[in-house]
């Protein structure tokens, strides 16, 4: 395992502020909170703690920029040029972004670099998409022409999580800005560092003042104020299902548009006819990459009984060899979990799992890493579908393996949780692959693959895993209103009321 000396980036900020109406500002109250480094769990910075009055200022700035500023009225190509410059800036500084993200989140540096590059691609993608956007027109010859006039909705509230924060912020910022909306971003309080970089990136790219606003703070304070604010017609949220329920309730009085990507407990179903080596590669990566802190993690592996024992043995042997260590070491495959609170949660589930399954690998902290939020990749076999570690989202490097005998049983196990975000299916039987995939309760299904996604496709879940879809044109649909305009081209027969 890797345990090289801890790396601290040069020029690391010691205090993070809000960014409102083109200026870096403190909280009105002066309140702050500590930001921890997950390798040492010691505070390395303070951040301004936003309250309702700070959100009010940010929403007011975004509202002025929307109603009075140029951004919503620019031609798509003009907005696309700005987004292209954002993508260029992110690409040019991807190593620095990855370094800061790794320091703030504990993600392995190689994986953080990939996320920074994906963030650039998100901006480039939506820059292209907004230029290529087409809308429907319908004609009744000699009678009527109907067309769709697409308009940005207004101020979008974006609430983002602490796992891969910079990339997931780009996932919301890019389509919102491409659509002509102005935004207020509330990043996760555990990981505000990379979000602080957006202000200078946007300013240098030529984004007008007030279009992008950032308010740091706790979810129950700054986040809740943003959700409840009557001047914010849209909320896009990524996070836990329980938080999504609160947002749903608190957004209801103002009938806000909601897009919520929530938790997951995604199954990976491996049939006996699968390419077992490829399935092991993919299911290991699918749950242990990004430290297991990913919503689409294939954290429940269901294996056909005839290959079950062999699969378990080979999977556990590989899991034991995964390199756990300092996130900044390029050899590291699993780094430090984001925060001591989350570390305690994951370790609590491992303790529960000892009585619910057969421990094949991991089960605690690596012996050579006595400090920091490190968890060995943990594998439990023979896990019953009623077990808590089978049913509940752990969001860490922990996986369950469960056998099945028939396709019907596999489907019942796959669908037997409250979540429905992703699913992974391993088989060489083409008919089984499609029929089984279409019967899984999941917003996304991958056949013989891990999570490799084309940005044009819809992203979202069913059941407790989300509300609505984003990705491609679905994102543009969320951030815009589609107004139907009807034009009469000929005489219209109208019943003549009041004529006798």
């Amino acid at each position: 395992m890797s345990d090289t000396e801890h790396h601290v980036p040069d020029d690391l900020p010691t205090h993070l502020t809000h960014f409102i109406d083109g200026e870096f500002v403190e909280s009105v109250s002066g309140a702050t909170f500590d930001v921890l480094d997950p390798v040492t769990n010691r505070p390395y910075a303070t951040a301004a703690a936003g309250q309702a009055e700070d959100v009010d200022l940010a929403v007011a700035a975004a509202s002025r920029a929307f109603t009075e500023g140029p951004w919503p009225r620019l031609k798509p190509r003009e907005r696309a040029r700005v987004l292209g410059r954002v993508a260029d800036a992110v690409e040019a500084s991807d190593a620095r972004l990855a370094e800061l993200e790794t320091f703030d989140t504990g993600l392995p540096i190689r994986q953080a670099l990939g996320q920074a590059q994906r963030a650039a691609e998100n901006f480039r993608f939506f820059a292209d998409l907004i230029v290529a956007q087409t809308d429907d027109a319908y004609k009744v010859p000699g009678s009527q022409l109907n067309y769709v006039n697409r308009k940005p909705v207004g101020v979008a509230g974006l609430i983002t999580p602490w796992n891969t924060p910079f990339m997931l912020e780009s996932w919301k910022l890019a389509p919102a800005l491409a659509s002509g909306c102005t935004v207020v971003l509330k990043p996760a309080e555990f990981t505000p560092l990379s979000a602080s970089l957006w202000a200078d990136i946007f300013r240098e790219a030529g984004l007008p003042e007030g279009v992008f606003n950032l308010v740091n703070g706790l979810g129950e304070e700054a986040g809740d104020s943003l959700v409840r604010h009557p001047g914010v017609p849209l909320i896009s949220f990524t996070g836990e299902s329980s938080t999504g329920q609160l947002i749903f309730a608190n957004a209801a009085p103002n009938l806000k548009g909601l897009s919520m990507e929530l938790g997951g407990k995604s199954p990976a179903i491996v049939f006996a006819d699968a390419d077992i080596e490829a399935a092991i590669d993919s299911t290991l990566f699918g749950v242990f990459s990004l430290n297991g802190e990913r919503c689409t993690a294939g954290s429940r592996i269901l294996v056909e009984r005839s290959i079950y024992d062999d699969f378990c043995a080979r999977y556990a042997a590989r899991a034991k060899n995964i390199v756990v260590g300092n996130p900044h070491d390029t050899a590291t495959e699993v780094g430090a979990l984001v925060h001591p609170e989350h570390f305690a949660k994951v370790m609590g589930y491992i303790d529960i799992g000892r009585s619910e399954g057969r421990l094949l690998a991991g089960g605690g902290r690596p012996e050579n890493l006595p400090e920091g939020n490190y968890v060995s990749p943990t594998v439990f076999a023979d896990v019953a579908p009623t077990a808590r570690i089978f049913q509940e989202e752990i969001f860490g490097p922990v996986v369950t393996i469960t056998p099945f005998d028939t396709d019907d049983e596999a489907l019942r196990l796959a669908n037997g949780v409250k979540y429905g975000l992703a699913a992974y299916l391993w088989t060489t039987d083409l008919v089984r692959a499609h029929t089984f995939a279409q019967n899984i309760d999941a917003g996304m299904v991958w056949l013989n693959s891990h999570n490799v996604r084309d940005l044009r496709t819809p992203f979202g879940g069913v059941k407790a895993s989300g509300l609505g879809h984003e990705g491609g044109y679905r994102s543009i649909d969320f951030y815009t209103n589609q107004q139907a305009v009807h034009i009469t081209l000929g005489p219209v027969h109208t019943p003549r009321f009041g004529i006798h």
Side-chain angles (χ1 to χ4, degrees):
M1 296 187 184
S2 171
D3 56 357
T4 55
E5 184 178 350
H6 183 36
H7 171 77
V8 178
D10 293 334
D11 301 321
L12 189 68
T14 58
H15 181 63
L16 305 172
T17 65
H18 312 307
F19 185 76
I20 298 175
D21 207 12
E23 299 291 338
F24 292 99
V25 297
E26 301 292 347
S27 295
V28 173
S29 68
T32 64
F33 62 92
D34 288 337
V35 186
L36 307 184
D37 159 15
V39 170
T40 67
N41 283 330
R42 289 191 290 269
Y44 73 87
T46 56
Q51 314 289 324
E53 58 268 27
D54 303 298
V55 171
D56 287 344
L57 291 172
V59 173
S63 297
R64 284 193 301 273
F66 186 77
T67 58
E68 303 170 15
W71 187 250
R73 283 159 282 281
L74 292 180
K75 293 178 180 178
R77 176 69 70 186
E78 294 173 315
R79 289 202 298 271
R81 288 194 181 103
V82 175
L83 298 186
R85 289 195 290 269
V86 171
D88 291 342
V90 171
E91 272 186 345
S93 58
D94 58 1
R96 172 67 172 173
L97 287 167
E99 180 187 35
L100 294 176
E101 190 91 311
T102 290
F103 181 82
D104 201 27
T105 66
L107 287 177
I109 186 68
R110 283 188 175 181
Q111 296 170 40
L113 181 61
Q115 296 300 314
Q117 293 164 347
R118 183 71 160 184
E121 180 58 24
N122 282 331
F123 273 90
R124 210 172 299 288
F125 172 82
F126 282 104
D128 292 340
L129 196 67
I130 198 65
V131 173
Q133 173 74 48
T134 61
D135 285 306
D136 295 324
Y138 309 95
K139 183 172 69 172
V140 180
S143 177
Q144 194 174 66
L145 173 68
N146 310 275
Y147 69 88
V148 173
N149 176 40
R150 189 181 291 269
K151 302 192 292 185
V153 174
V155 178
L158 312 179
I159 303 176
T160 51
W162 46 255
N163 58 312
T164 62
F166 191 80
M167 191 282 290
L168 288 177
E169 288 152 10
S170 76
W171 195 336
K172 299 179 188 299
L173 287 165
L177 295 174
S179 300
C181 289
T182 58
V183 303
V184 178
L185 170 66
K186 206 298 282 185
E189 55 264 34
F190 286 177
T191 56
L193 180 58
S194 60
S196 69
L197 304 175
W198 286 116
D200 285 335
I201 291 171
F202 286 135
R203 192 152 55 182
E204 292 171 12
L207 192 72
E209 290 183 358
V211 174
F212 168 77
N213 303 273
L214 166 70
V215 178
N216 287 302
L218 307 183
E220 57 268 31
E221 296 173 354
D224 188 59
S225 296
L226 189 59
V227 167
R228 294 175 183 272
H229 201 290
V232 180
L234 288 177
I235 295 290
S236 177
F237 169 74
T238 299
E240 292 181 337
S241 299
S242 57
T243 307
Q245 291 173 314
L246 287 174
I247 290 174
F248 199 116
N250 293 338
N254 289 302
L255 298 175
K256 293 177 187 273
L258 291 175
S259 176
M260 297 197 291
E261 191 262 289
L262 306 176
K265 193 70 175 177
S266 300
I269 305 102
V270 183
F271 288 92
D273 66 344
D275 180 335
I276 302 303
E277 190 67 21
I280 289 173
D281 286 344
S282 180
T283 50
L284 280 163
F285 181 83
V287 74
F288 296 126
S289 60
L290 304 180
N291 297 347
E293 298 166 328
R294 60 187 304 164
C295 49
T296 54
S299 54
R300 293 182 298 135
I301 304 177
L302 312 176
V303 182
E304 193 164 2
R305 193 175 299 276
S306 62
I307 61 168
Y308 180 75
D309 290 340
D310 180 56
F311 183 94
C312 287
R314 293 168 66 182
Y315 191 92
R318 288 278 298 277
K320 291 175 182 177
N321 282 333
I322 289 174
V323 179
V324 182
N326 193 304
H328 293 275
D329 188 334
T330 56
T332 292
E333 294 169 321
V334 171
L337 300 191
V338 69
H339 192 274
E341 289 179 15
H342 187 60
F343 173 80
K345 173 190 170 184
V346 172
M347 293 295 280
Y349 272 109
I350 290 174
D351 288 342
I352 291 168
R354 293 178 186 279
S355 63
E356 292 186 332
R358 177 165 53 99
L359 182 64
L360 298 185
R365 175 190 292 279
E367 292 181 0
N368 64 321
L369 295 167
E371 296 182 354
N373 306 318
Y374 293 104
V375 177
S376 295
T378 298
V379 181
F380 289 104
D382 308 342
V383 179
T386 54
R388 286 185 63 187
I389 60 170
F390 186 97
Q391 291 288 331
E392 299 174 20
E393 185 178 39
I394 299 172
F395 218 66
V398 182
V399 69
T400 66
I401 309 180
T402 301
F404 67 85
D405 291 296
T406 66
D407 287 27
D408 287 344
E409 183 186 9
L411 187 63
R412 285 196 303 272
L413 290 169
N415 290 341
V417 298
K418 69 179 182 179
Y419 298 103
L421 187 58
Y424 307 88
L425 180 62
W426 286 88
T427 180
T428 54
D429 184 326
L430 189 62
V431 174
R432 168 194 275 157
H434 287 287
T435 56
F436 198 97
Q438 292 173 23
N439 283 296
I440 293 177
D441 296 333
M444 300 166 287
V445 180
W446 278 268
L447 302 177
N448 299 323
S449 171
H450 60 87
N451 180 350
V452 180
R453 179 176 159 265
D454 188 305
L455 290 175
R456 293 170 293 184
T457 60
F459 187 101
V462 298
K463 301 194 294 189
S465 286
L467 177 71
H469 287 79
E470 295 188 37
Y473 284 121
R474 277 86 172 175
S475 293
I476 303 299
D477 287 344
F478 176 68
Y479 293 106
T480 57
N481 287 322
Q482 297 175 62
Q483 179 189 58
V485 179
H486 306 270
I487 305 167
T488 298
L489 300 178
V492 178
H493 173 70
T494 304
R496 304 187 69 198
F497 281 28
I499 302 295
H500 302 288

